Amino acid sequence: MKYYSTRGNSFVDSTSEALLKGLADDGGLFIPEEIRKVNFTDEEIERLDYTEFVYKVISAIFDDLDGEKLKIEIEKAYSKFPKDILPIKNVGNLYFMELFHGETRAFKDFALSLLPRLIKIAKEENNIEEKTLILTATSGDTGSAAISGFSGVDNTNIIVFYPTDGISLIQRAQMINSGSKNATAVAIDGNFDDAQSALKKIFNDLEFKKELREAGHILTSANSINIGRLVPQIAYYFYSYYKLVKEGIIENGEKISVAVPTGNFGNILAAYFSKLMGLSIEDFICASNKNNILEDFIKTGVYDTNREFYKTNSPSMDILVSSNLERYLSLKSGDSNEIYSLMKNLNETGKFEYKNDLEMFGFSCEEEETLKVIDKIYRKSGYVIDTHTAVAVKAAEKYLDGKDKKILIAATASPVKFAMEISKAIGLDVDDEAKAIEEVAKLSNDVEFLEKVNTDSMQELVIDKEDIKEFVRERIMC
Ligand SMILES: *Cc1c(COP(=O)(O)O)cnc(C)c1O
């Protein structure tokens, strides 16, 4: 597969190059030149094996990676998940695709369990012997999932940068006390956007990349700017759709809409790719929390980051600059000059305008509403959802507005990760986070997870965002 950059001035001839570069040389994001349809036979739907779905979807795009190797690595990546890798729970019209049964209990495990293995294949294909250096900005869940995914991978170092506040106790513990020898977690004095834009600068810093390379390290990203993050996520939309078909909930070919709690726009973009690859999806419901820049954009065509940034109870969505939106706009517009100028405006003024129809619904949810939704679902059905998932439920309700239609909801995190908020929402009598975690874990049948998280004696390392480059130098090259 060949890939072009959203900004039109950079191309690569192979998947392995796109995986290793992460970001294109012109600062844009890679998009596969050809998006093919993928079909599943009745027999495949009946058998419904997750890794086979992943293989078929991934190999339709990563068609130039060694198929046998790819199969083996997919098997290994998903062997860490439970047998029922992606349960779907139903409450009324809503079908919750529980994407949180991986090691760190957020949907990001699906992509980040596989990404290190894709990078390994890419390095072999390019005869690269240098060590891999993964730098990643996280709003909480990418960091832990990336550390878990890259843990024990030879010749690889990973450094994750997370904002000092806003993230939950479990998220912090998963990163700081991961016990992983090749991983470092550092707090950035600032928010997620600060961390993400500082890292983007490093990825654009060709001098620094050269310096690292001379010291024996190739730099890449585990953020969803990497095409290797996006593609594995497409597979779970196929799998979930056919699971509903297999269970007789929908007919094969019937259209269903999806609601996705959105931050960096990766997950919902994967849903959009699944439609381009042939899945019968009707509408895309992009759900935002109080940081509702995407809702405003979808409704008005104006993307304006000059606004207040809120720390909310769904912290993994506290983002104003959604990187993957650039890929979506590129696919919609088809004109790289236009994308180049939109991104230039964004850089220079913090704002751009795109006036064509986005073919997406955008709704947002205030913090109080988020808690009310959690409580309502719990009272109605005994089912406990996390804060991010609740934002998507609210958006789905606004979209439905009383209509009787089935919606697939991306349930992106386990409620245990955000136990304090959940306790507040459903009125549990707890006074500290550790106790809340214990209670919510019981309610969602996940006490096993608790045994793995160590919240004791956490030593936090905090640096200024201006010092990221120096920090990387010291860690890696000394
Ligand atoms: C990362 C994350 C999101 C946002 O997903 P994007 O792909 O960045 O839009 C939503 N919910 C949870 C729990 C997350 O960890």
Side-chain angles (χ1 to χ4, degrees), residues 170-187:
I170 286 205
Q171 289 178 312
R172 203 179 294 262
Q174 284 178 319
M175 289 187 276
I176 299 180
N177 288 351
S178 70
S180 182
K181 288 197 188 67
N182 58 349
T184 310
V186 201

Side-chain angles (χ1 to χ4, degrees), residues 443-458:
L443 280 177
S444 50
N445 287 321
D446 197 10
V447 278
E448 180 205 340
F449 173 53
L450 293 188
E451 289 151 21
K452 292 191 197 144
V453 191
N454 169 13
T455 52
D456 297 336
S457 60
M458 291 194 279

